[in-house]
């Protein structure tokens, strides 16, 4: 496919552009008393199109151009010049479609209640599928030319170089590309195989009969997904236990149904794997980014080997929460230390600027360009989409950043994260042609998480009181647990359930629960008396939407490990590492992510990056224990 795959499929757009966390995305409006809407903190969409009628004109023009692309069919093999001309035309239309899509989405997200804006966003999405259908002949035609002819064309026509990566990638996919009739048929099955995810999503978000509980302070909480996220952090242990027991009992009631939906999803993946001649679903998923299987294997092996570090954290948590008897699964979420320190958006900009300084002048110039211009929509408001994301697809314009800045440290950290994506896009877009500017999720998240780590390290260093220091250290620690250990546990579960189906078996709710329970116990040290896991919580697998994303979760763990490795190199003032990092960002999507990261000094198939993360985690705990022992 000539289109840069990082914009496809749509699930990836959702995860990448809109940020996936390990918990279900909560569609809840958070309104703060801060009603500042100075123009400076509202993004300026006129940089994309002067007004909606200009957007409309662009959309209609693109629709016509998409239709015209079908006329190019049959021309690729004529000469290197016709291959170039066809590839250029497709590429140009694709670039316009992305810009149209970015505008429609940003506009819709500012106030999701406006139906016309939602409709525009849907229309822009349709352009993607129309485009995809209009050029479905491209790859088969390219493959039919054969490697030799393609190599000749590439040598004859230097202008083809910008398409070289995707052309060669199409060749790499040849063993898994089928004859055109079967490709068409397979494309049509996607509507069937995506059914499980849609059913799950409606069921888990809209149809679950959420119960209401009364906390010890008399407050009533409806345990929806959002209510559970808040309730599980309760300071009273009895409250937490009640929240857990009530919430998971509801899920438990639907174990059989949720199991049948999951079975349908995984059977669908196995079908895709089989039809395309892959040995396993994991192999198929890794093939996409050309990620060596050793990365996945090393991740899982290293995490299992370092479980004692996770268990050390749980013991420290038990001490800080003052739990005298057994530690339970519901003791994982309450914050270790509370801090009432305000971070206004100006503070966030300022602390991030100081924290990112080691990344060098070029990085900081791009950062300043962003914060001084109207690239971001800062504060929450009625109807605005929740969460945060960076949208960097408008190649000729600039990145946009959506925040819901809440004036706390978490908001500052999110700001640093999203600007990691924004600067990445600025540097990649400046260095790369459109065709190779789009980068992978793995590299994107690595760059952003590293920014969060640099910020953390700085505020820990500068903290004025022990409590403040413990607060930041605690946040850093919890991020490592949630993103490295928990996501790897998910990744192990995902692999196991896929293997179960691949070996001809069927998944049921109770089978899934017992597989999940084994992992929960192993990761949380149940047998070693670290955390006692009650059987009821084994239904947690049903609550995680990411098991419908086809081997997505392991990337959270590899990204945070790579980020630890990079942060370790850069924070020691290693000039070469800093330069390699900038080169990595500028490389965009000009090579496969594993290769790019290896050139930046981080080899994900070796234990080093994972061990750097574990070392970071132990160092945080050393610091915390020193403070606690002193007090
Ligand atoms: Zn991100």
């Amino acid at each position: 496919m000539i289109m840069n795959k990082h914009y496809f499929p749509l699930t990836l757009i959702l995860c990448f552009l809109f940020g996936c966390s390990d918990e279900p995305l909560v569609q809840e409006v958070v309104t703060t008393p801060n009603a500042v809407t100075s123009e400076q903190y509202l993004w300026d969409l006129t940089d994309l199109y002067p007004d909606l009628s200009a957007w409309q004109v662009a959309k209609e023009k693109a629709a016509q151009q998409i239709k015209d692309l079908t006329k190019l069919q049959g021309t690729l093999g004529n000469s290197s010049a016709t291959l170039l001309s066809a590839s250029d035309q497709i590429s140009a239309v694709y670039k316009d479609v992305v810009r149209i899509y970015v505008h429609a989405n940003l506009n819709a997200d500012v106030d999701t209640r406006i139906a016309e804006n939602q409709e525009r966003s849907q229309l822009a999405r349709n352009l993607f599928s129309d485009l995809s259908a209009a050029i479905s002949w491209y790859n088969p035609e390219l493959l039919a030319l054969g490697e030799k002819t393609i190599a000749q064309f590439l040598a004859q026509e230097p202008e083809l170089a910008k398409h070289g990566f995707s052309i060669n990638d199409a060749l790499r996919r040849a063993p898994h590309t089928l004859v055109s009739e079967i490709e068409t048929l397979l494309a049509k099955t996607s509507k069937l195989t995506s059914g499980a995810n849609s059913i799950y999503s409606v069921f888990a978000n809209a149809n679950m009969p959420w119960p209401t509980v009364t906390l010890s302070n008399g407050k009533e909480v409806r345990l929806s997904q959002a209510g559970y996220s808040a309730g599980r952090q309760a300071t009273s242990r009895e409250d937490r236990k009640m929240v857990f027991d009530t919430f998971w009992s509801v899920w438990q009631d639907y174990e059989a149904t949720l199991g049948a939906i999951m079975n349908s999803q995984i059977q669908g993946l196995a079908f895709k794997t089989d039809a395309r001649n892959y040995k396993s679903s994991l192999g198929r998923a890794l093939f996409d980014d050309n990620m060596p299987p050793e990365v996945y294997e090393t991740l899982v092996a290293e995490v299992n080997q370092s479980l004692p570090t996770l268990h050390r954290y749980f013991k420290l948590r038990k001490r800080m929460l003052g739990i005298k008897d057994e530690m339970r699964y519901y003791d994982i979420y309450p914050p270790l230390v509370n801090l009432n320190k305000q971070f206004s958006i100006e503070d966030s900009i300022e602390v991030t600027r100081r924290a990112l300084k080691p990344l060098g002048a070029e990085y900081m110039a791009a950062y300043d360009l962003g914060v001084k211009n109207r690239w971001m929509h800062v504060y929450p408001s009625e109807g605005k989409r929740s969460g945060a994301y960076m949208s960097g697809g408008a190649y000729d314009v600039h990145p946009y950043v959506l925040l819901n800045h809440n004036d706390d440290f978490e908001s500052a950290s999110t700001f640093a994260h999203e600007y990691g994506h924004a600067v990445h896009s600025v540097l990649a877009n400046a260095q790369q042609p459109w065709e190779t500017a789009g980068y992978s999720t793995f590299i994107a998240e690595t760059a952003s998480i590293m920014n969060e780590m640099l910020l953390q390290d700085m505020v820990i260093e500068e903290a004025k009181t022990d409590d403040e220091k413990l607060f930041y250290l605690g946040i850093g620690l919890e991020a490592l647990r949630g993103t490295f250990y928990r996501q790897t546990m998910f990744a192990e579960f995902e692999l196991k359930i896929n293997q179960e189906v691949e070996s001809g078996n069927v998944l049921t709710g109770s089978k899934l629960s017992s597989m999940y329970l084994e992992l929960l116990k192993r990761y949380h040290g149940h047998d070693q008396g670290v955390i006692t896991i009650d059987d009821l919580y084994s239904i947690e697998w049903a609550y995680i939407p990411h098991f419908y994303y086809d081997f997505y979760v392991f990337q959270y763990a590899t990204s945070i490990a790579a980020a630890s490795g990079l942060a370790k190199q850069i924070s020691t003032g290693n000039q070469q590492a800093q330069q390699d990092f900038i080169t990595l960002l500028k490389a965009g999507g000009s090579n496969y992510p594993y290769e790019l990261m290896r050139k930046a000094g981080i080899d994900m198939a070796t234990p080093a990056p994972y061990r750097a993360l574990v070392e970071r985690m132990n160092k945080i705990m050393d610091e915390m224990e020193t403070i606690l022992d002193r007090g």
Side-chain angles (χ1 to χ4, degrees):
M1 169 143 344
I2 193 163
M3 293 190 289
N4 188 312
K5 65 185 180 298
H6 304 313
Y7 293 98
F8 286 89
L10 278 176
T11 51
L12 275 191
I13 294 189
L14 295 173
C15 277
F16 175 42
L17 292 186
F18 306 137
C20 284
S21 61
D22 77 321
E23 311 301 348
L25 292 173
V26 180
Q27 296 291 339
E28 208 188 39
V29 183
V30 190
T31 40
T32 61
N34 198 335
V36 184
T37 43
S38 130
E39 211 176 48
Q40 175 65 22
Y41 297 130
L42 297 173
W43 55 33
D44 184 2
L45 298 188
T46 62
D47 292 345
L48 289 162
Y49 298 101
D51 52 34
L52 284 173
S53 62
W55 179 87
Q56 185 70 24
V57 170
K59 190 200 73 133
E60 274 152 28
K61 188 175 156 217
Q64 186 53 50
Q65 285 172 329
I66 288 173
K67 282 194 191 120
D68 293 343
L69 292 178
T70 51
K71 292 180 197 151
L72 298 169
Q73 186 166 5
T75 65
L76 301 189
N78 295 352
S79 67
S80 57
T82 55
L83 176 61
L84 175 64
S85 156
S87 304
D88 276 352
Q89 282 182 59
I90 293 173
S91 199
V93 176
Y94 179 41
K95 185 162 71 122
D96 289 345
V97 169
V98 170
R99 184 164 170 166
I100 291 163
Y101 175 80
V102 165
H103 184 278
N105 253 302
L106 298 175
N107 200 36
D109 285 347
V110 169
D111 190 343
T112 56
R113 298 167 304 178
I114 301 173
E116 293 85 354
N117 291 347
Q118 296 304 321
E119 194 186 332
R120 280 189 199 96
S121 159
Q122 190 55 52
L123 289 171
R125 243 168 230 240
N126 291 348
L127 282 184
F128 275 115
S129 28
D130 294 345
L131 175 59
S132 187
I135 58 164
S136 62
W137 50 270
Y138 183 92
N139 278 352
E141 198 173 313
L142 198 65
L143 295 184
L145 290 182
E147 251 172 87
K148 218 174 125 201
T149 311
I150 290 175
Q152 257 170 18
F153 282 3
L154 282 168
Q156 274 165 14
E157 179 52 77
E159 285 277 301
L160 267 175
K162 60 181 183 288
H163 301 291
F165 181 72
S166 62
I167 288 176
N168 285 318
D169 191 56
L171 289 177
R172 185 181 70 93
R173 289 165 193 272
H176 306 291
T177 307
L178 307 165
V179 295
S180 138
E181 293 81 22
I182 303 185
E183 280 295 333
T184 311
L185 185 68
L186 274 184
K188 287 179 182 166
T189 62
S190 75
K191 283 181 189 159
L192 311 176
T193 47
S194 63
N197 187 14
S198 317
I199 297 167
Y200 170 76
S201 170
V202 172
F203 190 68
N205 291 296
N207 286 141
M208 291 282 277
W210 305 124
T212 299
V213 293
T214 309
L215 301 181
S216 53
N217 60 7
K219 207 177 141 201
E220 279 199 358
V221 181
R222 183 165 174 266
L223 294 180
S224 61
Q225 308 240 22
Y228 164 72
S229 291
R232 66 187 181 182
Q233 298 187 39
T235 37
S236 146
R237 246 193 135 193
E238 289 69 37
D239 283 350
R240 295 201 293 271
K241 180 171 166 34
M242 179 174 62
V243 166
F244 257 62
D245 289 354
T246 315
F247 186 70
W248 296 118
S249 294
V250 176
W251 288 88
Q252 189 66 55
D253 287 344
Y254 297 95
E255 186 188 55
T257 307
L258 290 159
I261 302 172
M262 180 65 89
N263 181 57
S264 163
Q265 165 72 13
I266 306 298
Q267 299 285 353
L269 294 183
F271 164 74
K272 216 161 106 180
T273 299
D274 188 31
R276 293 202 173 278
N277 310 315
Y278 289 99
K279 287 200 183 77
S280 68
S281 289
L282 176 65
R284 174 183 48 71
L286 295 177
F287 185 86
D288 239 1
D289 263 345
N290 204 12
M291 190 63 85
E294 290 79 17
V295 172
Y296 200 94
E297 288 156 16
T298 311
L299 166 72
V300 170
E302 287 296 316
V303 164
N304 274 280
Q305 210 169 19
S306 66
L307 284 177
T309 298
L310 178 64
H311 298 168
R312 178 186 173 193
Y313 167 39
F314 291 141
K315 287 173 198 156
L316 176 61
R317 170 165 269 279
K318 182 178 178 183
R319 172 183 177 186
M320 290 181 77
L321 292 178
I323 294 167
K324 296 281 173 280
D325 54 346
E326 279 178 322
M327 171 109 162
R328 299 294 184 125
Y329 197 41
Y330 48 76
D331 294 319
I332 284 184
Y333 296 104
L336 295 174
V337 178
N338 285 306
L339 181 76
N340 268 330
K341 189 170 172 178
Q342 294 260 315
F343 284 84
S344 67
I345 183 66
E346 290 82 5
D347 294 333
S348 295
I349 293 172
E350 199 269 327
V351 288
T352 303
R353 181 182 283 123
R354 281 194 293 121
L356 301 187
K357 231 177 169 168
L359 299 180
E362 202 176 356
Y363 192 99
M364 294 322 292
Y367 174 84
D368 279 329
L369 189 68
V371 296
K372 282 176 186 151
N373 287 289
R374 288 172 54 198
W375 291 10
M376 54 179 169
H377 199 288
V378 176
Y379 292 108
S381 55
E382 194 102 3
K384 181 174 166 182
R385 192 186 196 288
S386 63
Y389 65 76
M390 188 287 304
S391 177
Y395 180 80
D396 302 310
V397 190
H398 56 71
Y400 284 90
V401 174
L402 180 136
L403 302 172
N404 276 283
H405 204 275
N406 218 5
D407 291 2
D408 52 13
F409 179 68
E410 202 189 324
S411 301
S413 194
T414 303
F415 171 85
H417 180 105
E418 298 308 335
Y419 265 82
H421 291 317
V423 173
H424 191 179
S425 284
V426 172
L427 296 179
N429 289 352
Q431 179 83 13
Q432 300 291 328
W434 154 254
E435 288 73 15
T436 51
Y439 42 77
S440 69
T441 307
F442 166 58
I443 307 241
E445 289 308 314
T446 299
S448 279
I449 296 172
M450 193 194 66
N451 280 7
E452 288 186 66
M453 287 177 171
L454 293 177
L455 175 63
Q456 251 167 40
D457 292 346
M458 190 188 77
V459 289
I460 290 167
E461 184 77 33
E462 293 180 351
K464 295 207 171 60
T465 64
D466 280 352
D467 263 3
E468 193 182 347
K469 200 169 265 223
L470 282 174
F471 173 79
Y472 299 132
L473 288 164
I475 286 188
L477 195 50
E478 182 52 23
L480 296 172
R481 177 198 71 82
T483 313
F484 186 60
Y485 286 101
R486 184 168 164 87
Q487 301 299 327
T488 305
M489 179 178 79
F490 289 166
E492 273 203 63
F493 177 70
E494 195 174 6
L495 179 59
K496 278 203 165 69
I497 64 178
N498 276 280
Q499 284 171 339
E500 184 74 5
V501 167
E502 284 159 27
S503 56
N505 296 318
V506 167
L507 298 168
T508 63
S510 64
K511 199 189 269 183
L512 287 159
S513 293
S514 75
M515 290 163 100
Y516 192 76
L517 185 62
E518 186 275 316
L519 281 160
L520 268 186
K521 287 185 171 172
R522 170 150 51 93
Y523 272 71
H524 296 84
H526 175 89
D527 291 341
Q528 295 99 310
V530 181
I531 289 186
T532 305
I533 302 288
D534 298 280
D535 287 3
L536 173 64
Y537 309 148
S538 66
I539 188 70
E540 191 184 43
W541 61 266
Y543 159 83
I544 310 297
H546 298 71
F547 295 137
Y548 289 87
Y549 298 170
D550 196 11
F551 289 99
Y552 194 85
V553 287
F554 85 96
Q555 299 188 80
Y556 292 117
T558 48
S559 290
I560 197 168
S564 300
L566 284 173
K568 189 183 160 190
Q569 292 178 355
I570 287 172
S571 60
T572 54
N574 181 336
Q575 291 294 310
Q576 188 58 46
Q578 181 267 336
Q579 266 312 311
D580 289 348
F581 176 67
I582 299 298
T583 307
L584 169 73
L585 300 186
K586 286 182 175 173
S590 58
N591 202 343
Y592 297 108
Y594 170 78
E595 275 308 315
L596 290 176
M597 193 58 82
R598 209 173 50 85
K599 282 189 193 136
I602 308 285
D603 186 343
M604 298 310 292
T606 66
Y610 311 100
R611 289 182 187 171
L613 182 145
V614 174
E615 187 191 310
R616 182 180 172 88
M617 192 158 172
N618 277 310
K619 210 176 125 236
I620 290 177
M621 289 191 279
D622 290 344
E623 274 197 68
M624 291 175 87
E625 281 169 358
T626 307
I627 295 172
L628 292 171
D629 290 345
R630 210 169 47 212

